[in-house]
Amino acid sequence: YRDLHTFELQAPTRIIEWVRGNRVCVAGYRQSDGNEILQLIPPPTLLTKETQGLRPERDFKVECGGFSERPVYSLKYVPDTSLLVTSGPPDSSLQVWQVSAEDSDVIKSVSTIARENGTEQSWAKTATISARAPWVLHGSRLDRVQITEVESGKNVYTAASRGSEELSDLAFLDCNTLLLCCTTGRLCLADIRQSQSLVEAMSVPSVPCSEQWCMGTKHGAQGLEPSSQPVARLSSRGLLTLTDLRKISEHLAFAKARVSSPDSGAEFLCVSWAPALEGYLAISGFDGTVHVYDTQSWDSSGREAEPIFVHKGHAFGGAGDSGDPPLVTVHTWHLQKPRTLLSAASDGSLHVWDWVQPCGKC
């Protein structure tokens, strides 16, 4: 490691979201207890452009917080606002939160966006954007995806689909283009300017029916077409596939991740692209580790990929309430620091780490 910070939360979290002012939001996901939503100020070393060694203040600080009566499975910051949108069981409704002004330490609930039509009880996956207005993209199944204006609650778009598969992820590629990922691994593109625009991308390689998938998208530099950025998909068996959305009839690359517990379940699967490193991605959700891969040498052979770094810090924590070893529930990359990641685990630990670049790598 070049640097490592740890912080102990009061409860397990499955959310790490960067918000305005380089703050971080986390939230609990317990079913039976109340769950905190906290906005944290990162350690000073994360607020500078370069790592500057040891400093007296190395912990996160709680800046403000709120309380959710529901488990929080998804939390998204609405860009250019002071709003957060959360979702979680027992249904697909969304909760909208206001992060209060500087003279207050309260994150308060301000409204609810009603659940989708029908009797579906699955929680809604979400994505946000503020290109035209503060919007939230949300849905639990392929035929129940819509865009809602966050402040007014007005529906501004509903996707067209004949399928009803469960969704694992969704994203705005830009203000007009949506990407949806089903738990089966299917990708679908939609253009909100066209009423019947849902397009299915290539299916994943032949896998058992029980396989579940998630996706990670990469946001390109300004002026670069979003569709030119590869989409990564990760399965519950550790399979990874990269897809160029401009060539949806073929795979860009296919590999097998080195995971210790394949088929461990898909509840916490997470794959994400490094925003400031070309071709690097990280995966977690199989055990107490986070793996970082350089995909630039991958091909379509499907051979096992060697991680360039494995963060094992959470694995050495004590057993949680259930007596099981800690499981990484989520990770995310620092927005500016190329090799800095944040990760959280089922024991309530929050880690920030920066690994040393391997010899021979530029």
Side-chain angles (χ1 to χ4, degrees), residues 69-106:
E69 295 181 354
R70 304 162 65 108
V72 179
Y73 278 30
S74 173
L75 181 151
K76 298 295 182 182
Y77 167 60
V78 183
D80 305 321
T81 73
S82 58
L83 300 174
L84 306 172
V85 177
T86 64
S87 66
D91 56 45
S92 59
S93 63
L94 309 181
Q95 290 69 51
V96 181
W97 303 80
Q98 174 84 50
V99 180
S100 300
E102 293 181 359
D103 59 349
S104 174
D105 61 358
V106 176

Side-chain angles (χ1 to χ4, degrees), residues 304-345:
E304 184 176 88
E306 180 76 24
I308 63 167
F309 188 81
V310 179
H311 174 60
K312 300 180 180 179
H314 297 286
F316 295 110
D321 295 340
S322 65
D324 298 325
L327 172 68
V328 173
T329 55
V330 68
H331 73 266
T332 191
W333 295 79
H334 194 282
L335 300 178
Q336 289 85 36
K337 296 197 169 190
R339 292 185 297 276
T340 299
L341 291 93
L342 290 76
S343 54

Side-chain angles (χ1 to χ4, degrees), residues 101-172:
E102 293 181 359
D103 59 349
S104 174
D105 61 358
V106 176
I107 298 176
K108 61 181 180 180
S109 176
V110 292
S111 64
T112 297
I113 297 175
R115 68 180 183 179
E116 307 149 8
N117 294 331
T119 59
E120 178 57 47
Q121 298 296 307
S122 298
W123 61 280
K125 285 65 179 178
T126 59
T128 55
I129 196 171
S130 290
R132 299 177 182 174
W135 285 354
V136 57
L137 169 66
H138 57 107
S140 60
R141 292 189 175 273
L142 196 57
D143 58 349
R144 294 172 189 167
V145 174
Q146 60 191 59
I147 296 175
T148 302
E149 194 171 89
V150 176
E151 294 172 314
S152 68
K154 177 184 176 182
N155 176 264
V156 295
Y157 171 80
T158 300
S161 175
R162 291 186 296 272
S164 60
E165 294 166 74
E166 185 175 356
L167 293 172
S168 61
D169 290 290
L170 37 72
F172 283 102

